[in-house]
Amino acid sequence: MLGHFRRIISTAPEAQSAELMIRTKDGRDRLWSFVSSALGTQSDGRRLFVGVAQDVTERKAHDEQVHLLTA
């Protein structure tokens, strides 16, 4: 998972996003949304980022159900 997160981090000022299916310890698949954005660089050269991770499994299932019912 860390490798996937590193791929969406960039030095560009725009926010980068990705969704990733993650299997929990009990074997359930959960869909997670990751968003990150570069904040800048510290005086010692280290880059600063902000990141948010959110489990969107239920929301995506609900959206899909609504789409099927309205189609």
Side-chain angles (χ1 to χ4, degrees):
M1 180 172 80
L2 186 56
H4 290 286
F5 188 68
R6 284 183 178 147
R7 278 188 224 127
I8 66 170
I9 292 176
S10 112
T11 57
E14 303 87 28
Q16 301 292 315
S17 63
E19 288 185 348
L20 180 64
M21 188 66 71
I22 297 174
R23 180 159 293 162
T24 63
K25 288 183 181 181
D26 62 359
R28 295 179 301 141
D29 287 333
R30 307 296 295 178
L31 182 63
W32 282 80
S33 171
F34 297 91
V35 180
S36 68
S37 183
L39 295 178
T41 305
Q42 291 184 323
S43 60
D44 63 1
R46 290 185 292 167
R47 296 183 300 169
L48 299 173
F49 296 90
V50 63
V52 176
Q54 181 179 14
D55 183 344
V56 295
T57 307
E58 279 82 21
R59 182 182 56 113
K60 287 286 190 166
H62 173 74
D63 290 351
E64 184 176 318
Q65 184 178 24
V66 168
H67 177 75
L68 289 173
L69 290 173
T70 58

